[in-house]
Structures are given as structure tokens and as C-alpha cells.
Amino acid sequence: EDQVTQSPEALRLQEGESSSLNCSYTVSGLRGLFWYRQDPGKGPEFLFTLYSAGEEKEKERLKATLTKKESFLHITAPKPEDSATYLCAVAGGYSSASKIIFGSGTRLSIRP
Amino acid sequence: GAGVSQSPSNKVTEKGKDVELRCDPISGHTALYWYRQSLGQGLEFLIYFQGNSAPDKSGLPSDRFSAERTGGSVSTLTIQRTQQEDSAVYLCASSLRGAEDGYTFGSGTRLTVV
């Protein structure tokens, strides 16, 4: 069964303090690994898709990387506006993927 | 439309009543998904539509839940005889072709059963 585990559950950082969020996954035939950001009271907002081990994507202060078992979301010199819940998700299946399975998220809080 | 629209944004209903939640996906997106997010919990898959058919409805929690999609566009999620455990945020998402393309989510419908 496809599974996504995120750690830590919550992370509090000082503004400017870089860190990484972890996503471990088990999937039969990875067809895509996704990172989303979710603000309170809103739907998740798409950040990145990674398709194969070794791939990296960057957007402003965020960088996502992928190995065969894990993905990391690196946050460099974060600002208070980066505070949100970050969700990792996978789509799997050898022929096609019918859905995306989500982890439970990491709640990130950046103190000014 | 420019994004995924869901209505209503909030719904309070009495236990035992039926409710209908609506989703208007991005124009041209053939795949549509419903998820449920309970307070402090992750996203729980409910059902997937490709066009008007539902090849995967494995996440519907009971026969009180049903969904349909018409014209390859608007979808309605219906919950009959609502129970307090149905209280959650119901999120709709659409995708150009399928899950590999990633989703665009709506803002959700917050359902409270009293």
C-alpha cells in the first residue's frame, strides 16, 4: 500500500534559520512526488513535482530534492510569510495513477 | 474558470439532513478529485472522476456518500443522513489529465453537522 510519512510534525524556526523537512515514501511505481503549501482556511497550493531520483526543483527560498525513498524540502533563510503547513504527496502505479496520497504535513512556524 | 470553485464555502446542517457540495473545476481539466480533511488531520481521498465516470471511488466512507459529474465539468458530492463524524473540510481538485500532472485545489467547503 502506498504510504507517505512526514517529519517533523511541527517545526519552529527563527527568521533566517535554514532547515529541512523530510518526506519518506513507499509506492509501487512512482509517477510523481509533490509538495504543497497549505495556509489556514485554504486549499493546498501546488509547489513542486519531482519525477525521478536525483531531480531537484527550486522556487525562491524553497528547494525540493528526491531520492528513491525520500524527498526533502530545504528552506533557506526563511521569512515569517513562509509559515504554513507543507504537504508531501505521491502518485503511484505501474500503468497509471488514479490518485495522490498525502502525508499528514509539517507545520512550519517562522518567528520574526 | 481561472481556478477551482467550490460552494458553499461553509455549511452548517442538522444531524440526519442531506447536503450537497458543489465543485466547478478548471475548464479543460478532465480529472476531478474529492478529498476530506478533518481538523488537524491529513487529506483523505474520497473519489476520482475521469470525464463523467468514476474509475476509483474506493475512498467513499459509506453508502451515505455519493458523487456525480456531468458534462465533464461540474461535480456534486452528496452526503445523506449526515452524522457528526462527517464534519470536516471537503476539498475538490482538478488536474489536466491525471494525478501525474498534479492537482489544483479549491478553497474547500467547511461542513459542520450539529
Side-chain angles (χ1 to χ4, degrees):
Chain A
E1 183 179 327
D2 297 350
Q3 198 164 11
V4 179
T5 304
Q6 292 188 246
S7 62
E9 287 187 14
L11 181 62
R12 290 171 59 99
L13 299 172
Q14 199 69 34
E15 183 173 2
E17 181 185 359
S18 301
S19 189
S20 296
L21 312 183
N22 177 262
C23 170
S24 298
Y25 66 91
T26 304
V27 65
S28 301
L30 180 70
R31 304 191 73 79
L33 184 139
F34 309 90
W35 283 97
Y36 286 84
R37 168 190 171 129
Q38 187 173 26
D39 292 297
K42 296 188 176 181
E45 175 190 346
F46 172 79
L47 292 174
F48 303 109
T49 307
L50 301 168
Y51 290 106
S52 57
E55 191 174 358
E56 298 182 352
K57 294 272 180 74
E58 285 189 67
K59 179 180 180 181
E60 296 181 356
R61 296 175 292 281
L62 300 177
K63 178 180 174 181
T65 61
L66 180 65
T67 72
K68 288 187 177 180
K69 295 183 178 180
E70 293 177 303
S71 178
F72 293 92
L73 185 65
H74 306 278
I75 302 176
T76 302
K79 298 181 178 182
E81 54 262 41
D82 295 322
S83 297
T85 295
Y86 290 84
L87 300 170
C88 175
V90 295
Y94 289 112
S95 59
S96 65
S98 67
K99 59 184 176 283
I100 293 176
I101 304 298
F102 285 83
S104 54
T106 293
R107 292 189 311 279
L108 178 65
S109 175
I110 309 298
R111 301 189 299 272
Chain B
V4 178
S5 296
Q6 290 188 247
S7 61
S9 55
N10 280 285
K11 176 73 176 179
V12 180
T13 189
E14 290 182 354
K15 177 181 172 181
K17 300 278 190 182
D18 298 353
V19 294
E20 282 191 355
L21 313 181
R22 177 188 167 106
C23 173
D24 209 333
I26 292 174
S27 178
H29 280 196
T30 63
L32 185 147
Y33 307 82
W34 285 97
Y35 283 77
R36 178 168 73 173
Q37 188 172 34
S38 301
L39 189 63
Q41 302 298 310
L43 276 74
E44 176 189 3
F45 169 80
L46 297 177
I47 188 168
Y48 154 56
F49 285 95
Q50 183 61 247
N52 292 335
S53 62
D56 188 349
K57 41 190 172 184
S58 61
L60 293 178
S62 74
D63 58 8
R64 295 187 296 105
F65 288 72
S66 63
E68 66 173 12
R69 188 180 184 195
T70 56
S73 181
V74 172
S75 176
T76 303
L77 177 69
T78 301
I79 309 173
Q80 295 179 310
R81 304 182 302 282
T82 52
Q83 304 294 314
Q84 287 188 329
E85 61 262 29
D86 299 334
S87 296
V89 175
Y90 289 81
L91 289 161
C92 175
S94 70
S95 180
L96 183 61
R97 293 165 299 183
E100 296 97 308
D101 294 328
Y103 298 162
T104 300
F105 280 91
S107 294
T109 293
R110 180 175 299 278
L111 175 66
T112 304
V113 182
V114 297

